[in-house]
Amino acid sequence: MKYAIIDIETTGSNAGTGRITEIAIYIHDGKSIVDEFCSLINPECEIPPFISKLTGITNEMVENAPKFYEIAKQIVDITEDTIFVAHNATFDYNFIRQEYKSLGYKYDKSYLCTLQMSRQLIPGHPSYSLGKLCRNLNIEIENRHRAHGDALATSKLFELILKSSNSENFPEEFIRNDYMNLRFPPGFNRKIIEQLPENSGVYYFHDSAGIVLYIGKSKNIKKRVLTHFSNKQTRRAIELRNSICDITFEETGNELIALLLESQEIKNQKPFYNRKQKGSYQNYHLIYFYDEQRYLNLAISKKIDGAELLCTLNSNEEAEAILEKLVLKFDLCKKHCGAHDISHSCFSYSVKQCKGACIGKESPESYNERVKKAIETQKFENQNFMIIGTGRIEKEKSIVHVEKGKYMGFGYFEPELSGENPEILKSFIKPANDNRDVRQIIRSYIKKPGTQAQIIHH
């Protein structure tokens, strides 16, 4: 087993906003250093004065240094088939992973933390910071707060730690990675996990025959998939986990399309382990129209036939439930809400929930006002619009289309080539089925605080 003992210097403490200014790597075979790589790095941003004061690395020093992408392959090559080792390893590891992520590459390794190991195997020290611990252990650090000096001191500390343990499982018991506290089915190929993106999309679990068992969505596919292999699971979740033989995915570019695609795929494929949104498209329409007496009617139908579409449901039972709620909330007349065969007053009138539209006692104008309010609760605020969001790649954008209150589908386009003309954008839409679930997804997304999507009305 080989170890890559690493130290970095950075422009700050946050891996999401900071950049690396220096890296040092010493390859250790468990006995001695066998290879090394050290370099200043141009962070492509200003180094704060207080950081320069701490490390001694100035903007002038890194001006002509290689940028991270120029040495990225060397780092991958020298650390291949090694365990990542650092003092406070998550700091160095997260910074390096973030640099690679910005290049579109996944840098995943198992790692060891000499800070954690020291606390357990060399107890009794007042401080376990690298500088103070090395001073107490008589380990000399040349050029403190420079990557090569700190990495070399860490390698000496690591050698001392190796000699301090009598455990047969050492150092394996200290190794950490993305798979800690996870349980995979026997024979499951973990390389499948490594190939998963950390982006928005939909993922599919397959059994040994390739049949889809479960469909899920996430803003981070890999992170979400790993939760399915957690130790703490329900009996049904464990049953699913133990049946997974393969995982496929489709990146969507953003959360909204991931939600829409997941809903669509669950209804189309009906996976055994998806309990929500499992209904198929049966297209029961809730429609509205004016009758001969100019009363506004609501009805359930499998055909629209010239009426106006209010919404589409997956079953007649679901449509009836929605209609019943509207009747009760807005004191609507049963005769004008589907029970057209009634020739007398409706039951709601007898219990004073209907104001007499069924027998002409309430005028069409008065009655229709309440029906219009009921209709508005089920419709989009604007009936014709497009939602423009981020795409799957940098030059691409996504589009979700709603026309006459009906979800039409989604697609992707390149703004530089097509512009944002609604008529042109329609050609990029992949048609999809409209239903209450997807309209609720779109409504919720539009109202969600912080939503950055651009909405085009047409």
Side-chain angles (χ1 to χ4, degrees):
M1 187 180 294
K2 286 187 177 181
Y3 308 91
I5 301 172
I6 299 175
D7 191 84
I8 60 172
E9 300 303 329
T10 67
T11 61
S13 59
N14 189 321
T17 57
R19 299 295 301 274
I20 298 175
T21 59
E22 187 177 38
I23 187 169
I25 304 170
Y26 291 98
I27 305 301
H28 203 287
D29 64 3
K31 296 180 181 179
S32 61
I33 294 170
V34 295
D35 200 358
E36 64 181 79
F37 174 82
C38 301
S39 178
L40 284 167
I41 298 174
N42 184 340
E44 302 182 74
C45 63
E46 292 293 312
I47 302 173
F50 75 94
I51 295 291
S52 291
K53 185 176 180 180
L54 175 68
T55 65
I57 300 173
T58 64
N59 291 306
E60 292 73 24
M61 289 171 62
V62 299
E63 185 176 358
N64 296 316
K67 299 177 177 64
F68 188 86
Y69 73 85
E70 295 177 305
I71 60 172
K73 187 177 185 303
Q74 289 174 268
I75 295 171
V76 169
D77 289 343
I78 196 171
T79 61
E80 187 175 10
D81 298 324
T82 65
I83 303 296
F84 188 107
V85 181
H87 202 72
N88 192 14
T90 53
F91 176 87
D92 304 76
Y93 185 54
N94 287 338
F95 258 95
I96 292 174
R97 290 189 74 187
Q98 186 61 37
E99 290 280 4
Y100 278 106
K101 184 179 181 180
S102 69
L103 301 177
Y105 179 86
K106 290 182 290 185
Y107 187 84
D108 292 325
K109 299 189 75 63
S110 296
Y111 60 89
L112 285 166
C113 178
T114 54
L115 174 61
Q116 178 199 8
M117 297 166 75
S118 298
R119 282 177 172 158
Q120 186 165 331
L121 299 173
I122 315 173
H125 291 276
S127 173
Y128 285 86
S129 68
L130 184 64
K132 292 181 180 179
L133 181 61
C134 284
R135 188 182 308 121
N136 290 336
L137 296 173
N138 296 316
I139 296 174
E140 184 179 355
I141 303 180
E142 295 182 9
N143 296 315
R144 176 75 173 113
H145 294 303
R146 288 295 300 272
H148 54 90
D150 287 353
L152 192 57
T154 302
S155 68
K156 294 175 182 176
L157 173 62
F158 183 61
E159 290 173 358
L160 191 152
I161 291 170
L162 290 177
K163 295 175 182 177
S164 301
S165 176
N166 297 318
S167 171
E168 292 182 1
N169 294 324
F170 182 82
E172 286 84 355
E173 61 193 280
F174 288 97
I175 291 176
R176 297 289 179 267
N177 55 43
D178 286 338
Y179 310 132
M180 289 300 296
N181 301 316
L182 300 181
R183 290 290 182 272
F184 295 96
F188 182 80
N189 185 356
R190 292 190 187 182
K191 288 186 178 179
I192 293 172
I193 300 291
E194 294 169 5
Q195 293 167 0
L196 296 175
E198 297 186 45
N199 301 317
S200 296
V202 172
Y203 58 91
Y204 306 77
F205 290 158
H206 304 261
D207 66 11
S208 57
I211 295 171
V212 176
L213 300 170
Y214 179 86
I215 298 173
K217 60 90 185 65
S218 179
K219 290 187 288 186
N220 184 323
I221 294 175
K222 182 178 180 180
K223 186 176 181 180
R224 181 69 184 94
V225 166
L226 287 175
T227 65
H228 287 277
F229 296 96
S230 168
N231 281 341
K232 297 179 180 179
Q233 298 279 3
T234 63
R235 181 179 298 178
R236 185 175 176 83
I238 292 171
E239 184 182 288
L240 167 62
R241 182 185 74 195
N242 292 338
S243 301
I244 299 170
C245 291
D246 194 14
I247 304 170
T248 58
F249 62 89
E250 183 171 343
E251 293 187 66
T252 60
N254 60 68
E255 183 184 16
L256 173 58
I257 295 184
L259 288 163
L260 294 171
L261 181 60
E262 178 201 34
S263 179
Q264 174 182 306
E265 289 287 75
I266 289 173
K267 288 180 172 65
N268 286 343
Q269 301 199 43
K270 307 180 189 68
F272 180 76
Y273 286 94
N274 284 100
R275 291 192 170 184
K276 294 181 180 179
Q277 298 188 22
K278 204 173 181 179
S280 60
Y281 292 118
Q282 297 185 43
N283 292 335
Y284 284 86
H285 305 297
L286 189 55
I287 59 175
Y288 60 97
F289 58 91
Y290 287 94
D291 62 18
E292 293 179 357
Q293 287 74 43
R294 300 304 299 163
Y295 283 99
L296 194 51
N297 285 242
L298 296 175
I300 299 167
S301 175
K302 296 203 75 172
K303 295 181 180 180
I304 298 176
D305 290 335
E308 294 292 329
L309 175 68
L310 182 54
C311 60
T312 303
L313 293 308
N314 297 321
S315 68
N316 185 61
E317 291 75 16
E318 188 178 1
E320 287 180 345
I322 296 295
L323 186 54
E324 184 64 24
K325 285 181 181 179
L326 295 178
V327 168
L328 292 174
K329 184 174 181 180
F330 294 94
D331 294 332
L332 302 184
C333 175
K334 289 276 190 176
K335 181 177 180 178
H336 295 294
C337 290
H340 304 300
D341 57 342
I342 296 176
S343 58
H344 47 78
S345 63
C346 69
F347 177 76
S348 295
Y349 179 71
S350 66
V351 293
K352 299 182 180 180
Q353 289 178 341
C354 165
K355 298 182 180 181
C358 47
I359 53 175
K361 184 176 181 181
E362 182 179 20
S363 69
E365 292 76 17
S366 173
Y367 178 75
N368 291 349
E369 284 299 314
R370 295 200 307 284
V371 180
K372 289 175 182 178
K373 289 180 181 179
I375 289 171
E376 289 304 312
T377 65
Q378 299 298 308
K379 295 173 69 174
F380 290 108
E381 191 172 316
N382 189 295
Q383 294 293 286
N384 301 289
F385 61 92
M386 294 176 173
I387 304 174
I388 309 299
T390 54
R392 298 159 297 185
I393 57 177
E394 186 177 349
K395 294 182 179 180
E396 182 181 72
K397 286 191 176 182
S398 66
I399 174 173
V400 172
H401 184 205
V402 173
E403 189 168 289
K404 294 181 179 178
K406 181 180 179 182
Y407 168 62
M408 306 301 292
F410 68 84
Y412 299 93
F413 68 100
E414 293 185 31
E416 291 184 8
L417 301 178
S418 58
E420 294 187 359
N421 183 306
E423 291 306 312
I424 296 175
L425 294 181
K426 287 181 183 180
S427 65
F428 296 101
I429 297 297
K430 182 179 178 181
N433 290 299
D434 175 61
N435 59 77
R436 188 165 177 259
D437 288 331
V438 294
R439 277 181 278 104
Q440 183 56 42
I441 287 169
I442 294 169
R443 276 198 205 95
S444 298
Y445 187 82
I446 292 172
K447 295 178 181 178
K448 186 178 179 181
T451 295
Q452 299 296 318
Q454 175 190 357
I455 300 177
I456 298 176
H457 300 289
H458 64 91

